[in-house]
DNA sequence: GTTTAAATGCAATAGTGTTGCAAATATAAC
DNA sequence: GTTATATTTGCAACACTATTGCATTTAAAC
């Protein structure tokens, strides 16, 4: 049984052709955030609605999470360790390369370093870095 | 001459009815990020295309900047001090209240606290905080 | 194999944002 | 105040992203 099949089974999701293909794609680039339109391209002729529903299902099950990289584009990335239980990912940072537009997860950081008035109750911190990635410099 | 009129003059932009109304709105809530659809509501019957073009013009002139608060919505806020020269705003943080959905600028922070592999050249840092704001708690 | 609940695919729809172009208008020159 | 002109506006049309309802298909359990 492949990783994708195992993952679906562990989430009690039915094994369908598209779900397996989408999962394979994410598992193939575990630290990259993939844009929805890019997924459509890579998958070829798929029903767009089904793809969107697949992504929503995966998000709800904590398989993938939306990535905030400072663009307004919808990008998803595979969840790791800390975010497998919920789709919410806390204190997580992403880096967007301004040259190649690739977005990658760069792991967690210490949110203690941010000071806010105590009247604000902060429950989630997302950091969007951008610049030039190692490949492009 | 009002603040809005002065601002337009200083940017060598023509004084039009819509521009003045939009500017007044932003100047009225100098630390809030306003969603485009919300602007449409508050302005009443305005031509949507003209509004979008107005926002783009203001953004290009460094009057307002796009705010990244972790939602995929387009929100703009007035530029202050550090971001008046460009539409790019650096090392800036915003706070989104999960209860009332208001987004406010919470000022700058120290980006030194983020550690990344040195092969990444970071030129821009955006921080999206979310939780409960003082009004809602 | 049969059953059934879940997933898919299609049609229709909504929201956001853009471009081209003719008409209107703000500013500057007279 | 009038006129000239470059800017701005408003409309039509379009593109992209995303969602909902519903009939059909299919995966998994029996």
């Amino acid at each position: 049984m492949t990783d994708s099949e195992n993952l679906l089974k562990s989430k009690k999701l039915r094994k369908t052709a598209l779900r397996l293909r989408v999962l394979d794609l994410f598992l193939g680039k575990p630290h990259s955030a993939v844009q929805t339109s890019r997924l459509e391209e890579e998958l070829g002729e798929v029903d767009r609605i089904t793809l969107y529903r697949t992504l929503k299902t995966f998000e709800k099950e904590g398989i993938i999470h939306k990535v905030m990289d400072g663009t307004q584009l919808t990008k998803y990335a595979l969840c790791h360790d800390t975010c497998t239980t919920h789709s919410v990912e806390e204190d997580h940072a992403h880096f967007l390369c301004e040259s190649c537009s690739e977005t990658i997860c760069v792991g967690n950081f210490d949110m203690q370093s941010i000071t806010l008035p105590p009247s604000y109750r902060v429950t989630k911190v997302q950091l969007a870095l951008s610049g030039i990635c190692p490949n492009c410099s």
Side-chain angles (χ1 to χ4, degrees), chain A residues 89 91-95 104-109 125-129:
Chain A
E89 130 193 90
D91 310 346
H92 209 88
H94 295 99
F95 179 91
I104 62 152
C105 300
V106 289
N108 295 35
F109 60 93
V125 180
Q126 291 169 286
L127 189 64
L129 307 167

Side-chain angles (χ1 to χ4, degrees), chain A residues 43-62:
Chain A
L43 290 167
E45 302 235 323
V46 293
D47 184 61
R48 193 214 286 289
I49 294 120
T50 306
L51 175 59
Y52 283 132
R53 279 195 278 229
T54 298
L55 293 172
K56 281 225 153 176
T57 303
F58 285 179
E59 190 186 13
K60 200 163 58 188
E61 292 295 332

Side-chain angles (χ1 to χ4, degrees), chain A residues 104-121:
Chain A
I104 62 152
C105 300
V106 289
N108 295 35
F109 60 93
D110 178 22
M111 79 162 267
Q112 301 307 327
S113 54
I114 290 104
T115 50
L116 258 189
S119 45
Y120 287 90
R121 190 144 45 89

Side-chain angles (χ1 to χ4, degrees), chain A residues 4-124:
Chain A
S4 299
E5 288 175 318
N6 272 321
L7 193 46
L8 286 180
K9 192 160 224 172
S10 75
K11 298 294 184 181
K12 294 188 176 30
L13 293 175
R14 291 193 178 179
K15 182 173 69 176
T16 71
L18 184 65
R19 285 180 177 172
L20 287 172
R21 293 180 64 201
V22 172
L23 264 190
D24 281 347
L25 263 170
F26 278 110
L27 289 167
K29 24 187 139 176
H31 294 288
S32 291
V34 192
Q35 199 177 335
T36 313
S37 61
R38 183 93 167 269
L39 274 176
E40 283 186 65
E41 284 170 25
E42 299 202 14
L43 290 167
E45 302 235 323
V46 293
D47 184 61
R48 193 214 286 289
I49 294 120
T50 306
L51 175 59
Y52 283 132
R53 279 195 278 229
T54 298
L55 293 172
K56 281 225 153 176
T57 303
F58 285 179
E59 190 186 13
K60 200 163 58 188
E61 292 295 332
I63 296 171
I64 58 176
H65 61 268
K66 275 193 184 155
V67 166
M68 192 217 48
D69 68 352
T71 67
Q72 260 123 337
L73 306 169
T74 301
K75 297 184 183 181
Y76 287 97
L78 213 57
C79 289
H80 294 99
D81 311 335
T82 50
C83 66
T84 36
T85 41
H86 298 89
S87 66
V88 180
E89 130 193 90
E90 282 162 22
D91 310 346
H92 209 88
H94 295 99
F95 179 91
L96 165 71
C97 178
E98 285 159 8
S99 172
C100 64
S101 297
E102 292 292 315
T103 298
I104 62 152
C105 300
V106 289
N108 295 35
F109 60 93
D110 178 22
M111 79 162 267
Q112 301 307 327
S113 54
I114 290 104
T115 50
L116 258 189
S119 45
Y120 287 90
R121 190 144 45 89
V122 176
T123 57
K124 192 176 175 187

